[in-house]
Coordinates of all heavy atoms in Angstrom, one line a residue:
M26 N 93.8 57.4 -8.3 CA 93.5 56.7 -7.2 C 93.6 57.6 -6.0 O 94.5 58.2 -5.8 CB 94.5 55.4 -7.0 CG 93.9 54.6 -5.9 SD 95.1 53.1 -5.6 CE 96.4 53.9 -4.7
K27 N 92.6 57.6 -5.0 CA 92.6 58.4 -3.9 C 93.4 57.7 -2.8 O 93.2 56.5 -2.5 CB 91.2 58.6 -3.4 CG 91.1 59.8 -2.5 CD 89.7 60.0 -2.0 CE 88.7 60.7 -3.1 NZ 87.4 61.0 -2.5
I28 N 94.4 58.4 -2.3 CA 95.2 57.8 -1.2 C 94.7 58.4 0.2 O 94.7 59.6 0.3 CB 96.7 58.2 -1.3 CG1 97.2 57.7 -2.6 CG2 97.6 57.7 -0.1 CD1 98.4 58.4 -3.0
I29 N 94.3 57.6 1.1 CA 93.9 58.0 2.3 C 95.0 57.8 3.4 O 95.6 56.7 3.4 CB 92.7 57.3 2.8 CG1 91.5 57.4 1.8 CG2 92.2 57.8 4.3 CD1 91.0 58.8 1.8
C30 N 95.4 58.8 4.2 CA 96.5 58.7 5.1 C 96.2 57.9 6.3 O 95.1 58.0 6.9 CB 96.9 60.1 5.6 SG 98.3 59.9 6.8
K31 N 96.9 56.9 6.7 CA 96.7 56.0 7.6 C 97.7 56.1 8.8 O 97.8 55.4 9.7 CB 96.8 54.5 7.3 CG 95.7 54.1 6.2 CD 94.4 53.8 6.8 CE 93.6 53.0 6.0 NZ 93.0 53.7 4.9
Q32 N 98.6 57.2 8.7 CA 99.5 57.4 9.7 C 99.0 58.0 11.0 O 98.0 58.7 10.9 CB 100.6 58.3 9.1 CG 101.4 57.8 7.9 CD 102.5 58.7 7.5 OE1 103.4 58.9 8.3 NE2 102.3 59.2 6.3
G33 N 99.7 57.6 12.1 CA 99.3 58.0 13.5 C 99.1 59.6 13.6 O 98.4 60.1 14.4
H34 N 99.9 60.3 12.8 CA 100.0 61.8 13.0 C 98.6 62.4 12.7 O 98.5 63.7 13.1 CB 101.1 62.4 12.1 CG 100.9 62.3 10.6 ND1 102.0 62.3 9.9 CD2 99.9 62.0 9.9 CE1 101.6 62.2 8.6 NE2 100.2 62.1 8.6
R35 N 97.7 61.8 12.1 CA 96.5 62.3 11.8 C 95.7 62.6 13.1 O 94.6 63.2 13.3 CB 95.6 61.5 10.9 CG 95.1 60.3 11.3 CD 94.4 59.6 10.1 NE 93.5 58.4 10.5 CZ 93.9 57.2 10.9 NH1 95.2 56.9 11.0 NH2 93.0 56.3 11.3
R36 N 96.2 61.9 14.2 CA 95.5 62.2 15.5 C 96.3 63.1 16.5 O 96.0 63.3 17.6 CB 95.3 60.8 16.2 CG 94.4 60.0 15.6 CD 93.8 58.9 16.5 NE 92.6 58.3 15.9 CZ 92.7 57.2 15.1 NH1 93.8 56.8 14.6 NH2 91.6 56.7 14.6
N37 N 97.3 63.8 15.9 CA 98.2 64.6 16.6 C 97.5 66.0 17.0 O 97.1 66.7 16.1 CB 99.5 64.9 15.8 CG 100.5 65.6 16.7 OD1 100.4 66.2 17.7 ND2 101.9 65.3 16.2
Q38 N 97.5 66.2 18.2 CA 96.6 67.3 18.9 C 97.3 68.6 18.5 O 96.7 69.6 18.5 CB 96.6 67.2 20.3 CG 95.6 66.2 20.8 CD 95.4 66.1 22.3 OE1 95.1 67.2 22.8 NE2 95.3 64.9 22.9
M39 N 98.6 68.5 18.0 CA 99.3 69.7 17.5 C 98.4 70.4 16.5 O 98.5 71.6 16.3 CB 100.6 69.4 16.9 CG 101.4 70.5 16.4 SD 103.1 70.0 16.0 CE 102.8 68.9 14.5
F40 N 97.7 69.6 15.6 CA 97.0 70.1 14.5 C 95.7 70.7 14.9 O 95.1 71.3 14.0 CB 96.9 69.0 13.4 CG 98.1 68.5 13.0 CD1 98.6 67.2 13.1 CD2 99.1 69.4 12.3 CE1 99.7 66.7 12.8 CE2 100.2 69.0 11.8 CZ 100.7 67.6 12.1
E41 N 95.2 70.5 16.1 CA 94.0 71.1 16.6 C 94.0 72.7 16.5 O 92.9 73.4 16.3 CB 93.7 70.9 18.0 CG 92.8 69.7 18.3 CD 91.4 70.0 17.7 OE1 90.7 70.6 18.4 OE2 91.1 69.7 16.5
V42 N 95.2 73.3 16.5 CA 95.4 74.8 16.4 C 95.2 75.3 14.9 O 95.0 76.5 14.7 CB 96.7 75.3 16.9 CG1 96.9 74.9 18.4 CG2 97.8 74.8 16.0
L43 N 95.2 74.4 14.0 CA 95.1 74.9 12.6 C 93.7 75.4 12.4 O 92.7 74.9 12.8 CB 95.4 73.7 11.6 CG 96.7 73.1 11.7 CD1 97.0 72.0 10.8 CD2 97.8 74.4 11.3
P44 N 93.6 76.4 11.4 CA 92.4 76.9 11.1 C 91.5 75.9 10.2 O 92.2 75.1 9.6 CB 92.6 78.2 10.2 CG 94.0 77.8 9.7 CD 94.8 77.1 10.7
E45 N 90.2 75.9 10.1 CA 89.4 75.2 9.3 C 89.5 75.6 7.9 O 89.8 76.8 7.7 CB 87.9 75.4 9.7 CG 87.5 74.9 11.2 CD 87.6 73.5 11.2 OE1 87.1 72.8 10.3 OE2 87.7 72.9 12.2
N46 N 89.6 74.8 7.0 CA 89.7 75.2 5.5 C 88.3 74.6 4.8 O 88.0 73.6 4.9 CB 90.8 74.3 4.9 CG 91.0 74.8 3.5 OD1 90.2 74.7 2.7 ND2 92.2 75.3 3.2
Q47 N 87.7 75.6 4.2 CA 86.3 75.3 3.7 C 86.4 75.2 2.1 O 85.3 75.1 1.5 CB 85.2 76.3 4.1 CG 85.1 76.3 5.6 CD 84.5 74.8 6.2 OE1 83.9 74.1 5.3 NE2 84.9 74.5 7.4
G48 N 87.5 75.2 1.6 CA 87.5 75.3 0.0 C 88.6 74.8 -0.8 O 88.4 73.9 -1.5
Q49 N 89.9 75.2 -0.5 CA 90.9 75.0 -1.4 C 91.3 73.5 -1.4 O 90.9 72.6 -0.8 CB 92.1 75.9 -1.1 CG 91.7 77.4 -1.0 CD 92.3 78.2 0.0 OE1 93.7 77.8 0.1 NE2 91.9 79.2 0.5
T50 N 92.4 73.3 -2.2 CA 93.0 72.0 -2.3 C 93.3 71.5 -0.9 O 93.3 70.2 -0.9 CB 94.4 72.1 -3.1 OG1 94.2 72.8 -4.1 CG2 95.0 70.8 -3.4
G51 N 93.8 72.2 -0.1 CA 94.3 71.7 1.4 C 93.1 71.1 2.1 O 93.5 70.3 3.0
R52 N 91.9 71.3 1.8 CA 90.8 70.9 2.6 C 90.8 69.4 3.0 O 90.6 69.1 4.1 CB 89.4 71.4 2.0 CG 88.3 70.7 2.8 CD 87.0 71.2 2.5 NE 85.9 70.5 3.1 CZ 84.7 70.9 3.3 NH1 84.4 72.0 2.8 NH2 83.8 70.1 4.0
H53 N 90.9 68.6 1.8 CA 90.9 67.2 2.2 C 92.3 66.5 2.3 O 92.4 65.3 2.5 CB 90.1 66.5 1.1 CG 88.8 66.9 1.0 ND1 87.8 66.7 2.0 CD2 88.1 67.7 0.1 CE1 86.6 67.2 1.7 NE2 86.8 67.8 0.5
K54 N 93.3 67.2 2.3 CA 94.7 66.7 2.4 C 94.9 66.4 3.8 O 94.5 67.2 4.8 CB 95.8 67.7 1.7 CG 95.4 67.8 0.3 CD 95.7 66.5 -0.4 CE 95.6 66.7 -2.0 NZ 95.6 65.3 -2.6
C55 N 95.8 65.5 4.1 CA 96.3 65.2 5.5 C 97.1 66.3 6.0 O 98.2 66.5 5.5 CB 96.9 63.9 5.6 SG 97.5 63.6 7.3
A56 N 96.8 67.0 7.1 CA 97.6 68.1 7.5 C 98.9 67.4 8.1 O 99.9 68.2 8.1 CB 96.8 68.9 8.6
G57 N 98.9 66.3 8.7 CA 100.1 65.6 9.2 C 101.2 65.5 8.1 O 102.3 65.8 8.2
C58 N 100.6 65.0 7.0 CA 101.4 64.8 5.8 C 102.1 66.2 5.2 O 103.2 66.3 4.8 CB 100.7 64.0 4.6 SG 100.6 62.4 5.1
A59 N 101.2 67.1 5.3 CA 101.5 68.4 4.9 C 102.6 69.1 5.7 O 103.6 69.6 5.3 CB 100.4 69.3 4.8
Y60 N 102.5 68.9 7.0 CA 103.4 69.3 8.0 C 104.8 68.7 7.8 O 105.8 69.3 7.7 CB 103.0 68.9 9.4 CG 104.0 69.3 10.5 CD1 104.1 70.5 11.0 CD2 104.9 68.3 10.9 CE1 105.0 70.8 12.0 CE2 105.8 68.5 11.9 CZ 105.8 69.8 12.5 OH 106.8 70.0 13.4
D61 N 104.8 67.4 7.5 CA 106.0 66.7 7.3 C 106.6 67.1 5.9 O 107.9 67.2 6.0 CB 105.7 65.1 7.2 CG 105.4 64.4 8.5 OD1 105.6 65.1 9.5 OD2 104.8 63.2 8.5
L62 N 105.8 67.3 5.0 CA 106.5 67.7 3.7 C 107.1 69.2 3.8 O 108.2 69.4 3.3 CB 105.3 67.9 2.6 CG 105.7 68.3 1.3 CD1 106.7 67.3 0.6 CD2 104.5 68.7 0.4
G63 N 106.5 70.1 4.6 CA 106.8 71.3 4.8 C 108.2 71.3 5.6 O 109.2 72.0 5.3
K64 N 108.3 70.4 6.6 CA 109.6 70.3 7.5 C 110.6 69.7 6.6 O 111.8 70.1 6.7 CB 109.3 69.4 8.6 CG 110.3 69.4 9.6 CD 109.9 68.9 11.0 CE 109.8 67.3 11.1 NZ 109.5 67.0 12.5
W65 N 110.3 68.7 5.7 CA 111.2 68.0 4.9 C 111.8 69.2 3.9 O 113.0 69.2 3.7 CB 110.6 67.0 4.1 CG 111.5 66.2 3.1 CD1 111.3 66.2 1.8 CD2 112.7 65.5 3.4 NE1 112.2 65.5 1.2 CE2 113.1 65.0 2.1 CE3 113.5 65.3 4.6 CZ2 114.3 64.4 2.0 CZ3 114.6 64.5 4.4 CH2 115.1 64.1 3.1
H66 N 111.0 69.9 3.3 CA 111.4 71.0 2.3 C 112.4 72.0 3.0 O 113.5 72.3 2.3 CB 110.2 71.7 1.8 CG 109.5 71.1 0.7 ND1 108.4 71.6 0.0 CD2 109.8 69.9 0.1 CE1 108.1 70.9 -1.0 NE2 108.9 69.8 -1.0
A67 N 112.1 72.4 4.2 CA 113.0 73.2 4.9 C 114.4 72.6 5.0 O 115.5 73.3 5.0 CB 112.3 73.8 6.3
M68 N 114.4 71.4 5.5 CA 115.5 70.6 5.9 C 116.4 70.3 4.7 O 117.7 70.3 4.8 CB 115.3 69.4 6.7 CG 114.6 69.7 8.0 SD 114.2 68.3 9.0 CE 115.8 67.8 9.6
I69 N 115.9 70.2 3.5 CA 116.7 69.8 2.4 C 116.9 71.1 1.5 O 117.5 71.1 0.4 CB 116.0 68.7 1.5 CG1 114.7 69.2 0.9 CG2 116.0 67.6 2.3 CD1 114.2 68.1 -0.1
G70 N 116.4 72.3 1.9 CA 116.7 73.5 1.3 C 115.7 73.9 0.0 O 116.2 74.6 -0.7
V71 N 114.5 73.2 -0.1 CA 113.5 73.6 -1.0 C 112.9 74.9 -0.7 O 112.5 75.0 0.4 CB 112.6 72.4 -1.1 CG1 111.5 72.9 -2.2 CG2 113.2 71.1 -1.7
P72 N 112.8 75.8 -1.6 CA 112.1 77.0 -1.3 C 110.6 76.8 -0.8 O 110.0 75.9 -1.3 CB 112.2 77.7 -2.6 CG 113.3 77.1 -3.4 CD 113.4 75.7 -2.9
K73 N 110.2 77.5 0.1 CA 108.9 77.5 0.7 C 107.9 77.7 -0.5 O 108.0 78.6 -1.1 CB 108.6 78.4 1.8 CG 107.4 78.3 2.5 CD 107.5 78.9 4.0 CE 107.6 80.4 3.9 NZ 107.5 80.9 5.2
A74 N 106.9 76.7 -0.5 CA 105.9 76.7 -1.5 C 104.9 78.0 -1.3 O 104.8 78.5 -0.1 CB 105.0 75.6 -1.5
S75 N 104.5 78.7 -2.3 CA 103.8 79.9 -2.2 C 102.1 79.6 -2.3 O 101.3 80.4 -2.0 CB 104.1 80.9 -3.1 OG 104.0 80.3 -4.5
D76 N 101.9 78.4 -2.6 CA 100.4 78.1 -2.7 C 100.1 76.6 -2.5 O 101.2 75.9 -2.4 CB 99.7 78.5 -4.0 CG 100.3 77.8 -5.1 OD1 100.1 76.5 -5.2 OD2 101.0 78.4 -6.0
D77 N 98.9 76.2 -2.2 CA 98.6 74.9 -1.9 C 98.7 73.8 -2.9 O 98.5 72.6 -2.7 CB 97.4 74.9 -1.0 CG 96.2 75.1 -1.9 OD1 96.2 75.3 -3.2 OD2 95.0 75.2 -1.3
G78 N 99.2 74.3 -4.2 CA 99.4 73.3 -5.2 C 100.4 72.2 -4.8 O 100.4 71.1 -5.3
V79 N 101.3 72.6 -3.9 CA 102.4 71.8 -3.5 C 101.9 70.5 -2.7 O 102.5 69.5 -2.6 CB 103.2 72.5 -2.4 CG1 102.6 72.9 -1.1 CG2 104.7 71.7 -2.2
L80 N 100.5 70.7 -2.3 CA 99.9 69.6 -1.6 C 99.1 68.5 -2.5 O 98.7 67.7 -1.9 CB 98.9 70.1 -0.6 CG 99.3 71.2 0.3 CD1 98.2 71.8 1.1 CD2 100.5 70.7 1.3
A81 N 99.3 68.8 -3.7 CA 98.4 68.0 -4.7 C 98.7 66.5 -4.7 O 97.7 65.7 -4.8 CB 98.7 68.4 -6.1
D82 N 99.9 65.9 -4.4 CA 100.2 64.7 -4.3 C 100.2 63.9 -3.0 O 100.4 62.8 -2.9 CB 101.6 64.5 -4.9 CG 101.7 64.8 -6.5 OD1 100.7 64.8 -7.1 OD2 102.9 65.2 -6.8
L83 N 99.7 64.7 -2.0 CA 99.7 64.2 -0.6 C 98.5 63.3 -0.4 O 97.4 63.6 -1.1 CB 99.7 65.3 0.4 CG 100.9 66.1 0.5 CD1 100.8 67.2 1.6 CD2 102.1 65.2 0.7
A84 N 98.6 62.4 0.6 CA 97.4 61.6 1.0 C 96.3 62.4 1.5 O 96.5 63.5 2.0 CB 98.0 60.6 2.0
E85 N 95.1 62.0 1.4 CA 94.0 62.7 2.0 C 93.7 62.2 3.4 O 94.2 61.1 3.7 CB 92.8 62.5 1.1 CG 93.0 63.0 -0.4 CD 91.8 63.1 -1.2 OE1 90.7 62.9 -0.7 OE2 91.9 63.6 -2.4
S86 N 92.9 62.9 4.0 CA 92.6 62.4 5.4 C 91.1 62.6 5.7 O 90.6 63.5 5.3 CB 93.3 63.3 6.5 OG 92.9 62.8 7.7
Q87 N 90.6 61.6 6.4 CA 89.2 61.7 6.7 C 88.9 61.6 8.1 O 87.8 61.2 8.6 CB 88.4 60.7 5.9 CG 88.4 60.8 4.4 CD 87.6 59.9 3.8 OE1 87.5 58.7 4.1 NE2 87.0 60.3 2.6
A88 N 90.0 61.6 9.1 CA 89.7 61.2 10.4 C 90.3 62.2 11.4 O 91.2 63.0 11.1 CB 90.4 59.9 10.7
S89 N 89.6 62.4 12.5 CA 90.2 62.9 13.6 C 90.7 64.4 13.6 O 90.0 65.2 12.8 CB 91.3 62.0 14.1 OG 91.3 61.8 15.4
Y90 N 91.7 64.8 14.2 CA 92.0 66.1 14.4 C 92.4 66.8 13.0 O 92.1 68.1 13.0 CB 93.3 66.2 15.3 CG 93.0 66.0 16.7 CD1 93.6 65.0 17.4 CD2 92.2 66.9 17.4 CE1 93.3 64.7 18.7 CE2 91.9 66.6 18.7 CZ 92.4 65.4 19.4 OH 92.1 65.2 20.7
V91 N 92.9 66.2 12.1 CA 93.4 66.9 10.9 C 92.2 67.0 9.8 O 92.4 67.6 8.9 CB 94.6 66.2 10.3 CG1 95.8 66.2 11.1 CG2 94.3 64.7 9.9
R92 N 91.1 66.4 10.1 CA 89.9 66.4 9.2 C 89.6 68.0 9.0 O 89.3 68.7 9.9 CB 88.7 65.7 9.7 CG 87.5 65.8 8.8 CD 86.4 64.9 9.4 NE 85.1 65.2 8.7 CZ 84.9 64.4 7.6 NH1 85.7 63.6 7.1 NH2 83.7 64.7 7.0
H93 N 89.5 68.3 7.7 CA 89.1 69.7 7.4 C 90.0 70.8 7.9 O 89.6 71.9 7.9 CB 87.6 69.9 7.6 CG 86.7 69.1 6.8 ND1 85.3 69.0 7.0 CD2 86.9 68.3 5.9 CE1 84.8 68.3 6.2 NE2 85.8 67.7 5.4
K94 N 91.2 70.4 8.3 CA 92.1 71.5 8.7 C 92.8 72.0 7.5 O 92.9 71.3 6.5 CB 93.1 71.0 9.8 CG 92.5 70.6 11.0 CD 91.9 71.8 11.8 CE 91.2 71.5 13.1 NZ 90.5 72.7 13.7
D95 N 93.3 73.2 7.6 CA 94.1 73.8 6.4 C 95.4 73.2 6.4 O 96.2 73.5 7.1 CB 94.2 75.3 6.8 CG 94.7 76.0 5.5 OD1 95.3 75.4 4.7 OD2 94.3 77.2 5.3
A96 N 95.5 72.2 5.5 CA 96.8 71.6 5.2 C 97.9 72.5 4.8 O 99.1 72.2 5.1 CB 96.6 70.4 4.2
F97 N 97.6 73.5 4.0 CA 98.7 74.4 3.6 C 99.2 75.2 4.8 O 100.5 75.4 4.9 CB 98.2 75.5 2.5 CG 99.4 76.3 1.9 CD1 100.4 75.6 1.3 CD2 99.4 77.6 2.1 CE1 101.4 76.3 0.8 CE2 100.3 78.4 1.5 CZ 101.5 77.8 0.8
T98 N 98.4 75.6 5.7 CA 98.9 76.2 7.0 C 99.7 75.1 7.7 O 100.9 75.6 8.4 CB 97.8 76.7 7.8 OG1 96.9 77.5 7.2 CG2 98.2 77.3 9.2
A99 N 99.4 73.8 7.7 CA 100.3 72.8 8.3 C 101.7 72.7 7.6 O 102.6 72.6 8.3 CB 99.4 71.5 8.3
Y100 N 101.6 72.9 6.3 CA 102.9 72.9 5.5 C 103.8 74.2 6.1 O 105.0 73.8 6.3 CB 102.6 73.0 4.1 CG 103.8 73.3 3.2 CD1 104.4 72.1 2.6 CD2 104.1 74.5 2.9 CE1 105.6 72.3 1.9 CE2 105.4 74.7 2.1 CZ 106.0 73.7 1.6 OH 107.1 73.9 0.9
L101 N 103.1 75.2 6.1 CA 104.0 76.4 6.5 C 104.4 76.2 7.9 O 105.7 76.6 8.3 CB 103.1 77.6 6.5 CG 102.7 78.1 5.1 CD1 101.7 79.3 5.1 CD2 103.8 78.2 4.2
M102 N 103.6 75.7 8.7 CA 104.1 75.4 10.2 C 105.3 74.4 10.2 O 106.2 74.5 11.0 CB 102.9 74.9 11.1 CG 103.2 74.6 12.5 SD 101.6 74.5 13.4 CE 101.3 72.7 13.1
G103 N 105.2 73.3 9.4 CA 106.2 72.3 9.4 C 107.5 73.0 8.7 O 108.6 72.7 9.2
Y104 N 107.3 73.9 7.7 CA 108.5 74.6 7.2 C 109.1 75.4 8.3 O 110.4 75.3 8.4 CB 108.0 75.5 6.0 CG 109.2 75.8 5.0 CD1 109.4 75.0 3.9 CD2 110.0 77.0 5.3 CE1 110.4 75.2 3.1 CE2 111.0 77.1 4.5 CZ 111.3 76.4 3.4 OH 112.3 76.6 2.4
E105 N 108.5 76.2 9.0 CA 109.1 76.9 10.1 C 109.8 76.1 11.2 O 110.9 76.2 11.5 CB 108.1 77.7 10.9 CG 107.4 78.8 10.0 CD 108.5 79.7 9.4 OE1 109.3 80.2 10.1 OE2 108.3 80.0 8.2
H106 N 109.2 74.9 11.5 CA 109.9 74.0 12.5 C 111.1 73.4 11.8 O 112.2 73.2 12.5 CB 108.9 72.9 12.9 CG 107.8 73.3 13.8 ND1 106.7 72.6 14.1 CD2 107.5 74.6 14.2 CE1 106.0 73.2 15.0 NE2 106.4 74.5 15.0
G107 N 111.0 73.2 10.6 CA 112.3 72.5 10.0 C 113.4 73.5 9.9 O 114.5 73.0 9.9
L108 N 113.1 74.8 9.7 CA 114.1 75.8 9.7 C 114.9 76.0 11.1 O 116.0 76.0 11.1 CB 113.6 77.2 9.2 CG 113.2 77.4 7.8 CD1 112.6 78.8 7.7 CD2 114.4 77.2 6.9
K109 N 114.0 75.8 12.1 CA 114.6 75.8 13.4 C 115.4 74.6 13.7 O 116.5 74.7 14.2 CB 113.4 75.8 14.5 CG 113.0 77.2 14.6 CD 111.7 77.1 15.6 CE 111.0 78.4 15.5 NZ 109.5 78.3 16.0
L110 N 115.0 73.4 13.3 CA 115.8 72.2 13.3 C 117.1 72.4 12.6 O 118.2 71.9 13.1 CB 115.1 71.0 12.7 CG 113.8 70.5 13.7 CD1 113.0 69.4 12.9 CD2 114.2 70.1 15.0
Q111 N 117.1 72.9 11.4 CA 118.2 73.1 10.6 C 119.2 74.0 11.3 O 120.4 73.7 11.2 CB 117.7 73.7 9.3 CG 118.8 73.6 8.1 CD 118.2 74.3 6.8 OE1 117.7 75.4 6.9 NE2 118.5 73.6 5.8
N112 N 118.7 74.9 12.0 CA 119.7 75.9 12.6 C 120.4 75.2 13.8 O 121.4 75.7 14.3 CB 118.8 77.2 13.1 CG 118.4 78.0 11.9 OD1 119.2 77.9 10.8 ND2 117.3 78.9 12.0
V113 N 119.6 74.4 14.4 CA 120.2 73.6 15.6 C 121.2 72.6 15.3 O 122.3 72.6 15.9 CB 119.0 72.9 16.5 CG1 119.7 72.1 17.5 CG2 118.2 74.0 17.1
A114 N 121.0 72.0 14.1 CA 122.0 71.0 13.6 C 123.3 71.5 13.2 O 123.4 72.8 12.8 CB 121.3 70.2 12.4
Ligands
ZN17 ZN1 99.1 62.0 6.9

C-alpha cells in the first residue's frame, strides 16, 4: 500500500533548498518525513545511513515544496540538526 504523507511539514519552506532528485528511491519520498527520520536517528544514536535505502518505509509525497526533492539529502540534513540538538541537551 502506498502511503502519502499528509503532514504539514510537506509545505515547509526549509526544504526548498534541497536539490531536485530525478531518479533514486528518495525521489517520491516525503523530504519532511526523511528529515524527521534523520533527526530521530541522530538523537537516539543510530548510525547515519549511507544510502537512501533507509527511506524505503517512509511515506511518499506528492505536494508542494517537498515534491521531487532529494529525500536522502533531507535525511542527512535532519541528522546534522539532530546532532546539534543532542549536543545542546
Ligand atoms: Zn512527511
Side-chain angles (χ1 to χ4, degrees):
M26 190 181 80
K27 198 182 281 189
I28 303 165
I29 303 296
C30 180
K31 296 278 201 289
Q32 296 186 62
H34 62 205
R35 72 188 197 278
R36 292 198 168 83
N37 193 329
Q38 292 188 40
M39 178 172 75
F40 301 115
E41 263 294 273
V42 302
L43 293 173
E45 298 283 330
N46 183 310
Q47 297 299 331
Q49 304 151 27
T50 310
R52 174 170 174 165
H53 296 293
K54 296 299 180 180
C55 175
C58 289
Y60 173 88
D61 287 347
L62 181 69
K64 190 157 81 173
W65 177 243
H66 277 182
M68 292 180 77
I69 64 174
V71 171
K73 185 159 66 180
S75 56
D76 64 64
D77 64 8
V79 70
L80 307 175
D82 293 333
L83 290 183
E85 303 193 359
S86 180
Q87 297 188 323
S89 224
Y90 289 115
V91 295
R92 181 177 167 84
H93 293 177
K94 293 300 181 181
D95 188 335
F97 188 60
T98 304
Y100 170 89
L101 296 176
M102 186 165 79
Y104 200 94
E105 294 304 317
H106 289 177
L108 287 179
K109 282 175 192 158
L110 290 174
Q111 197 179 42
N112 291 338
V113 168

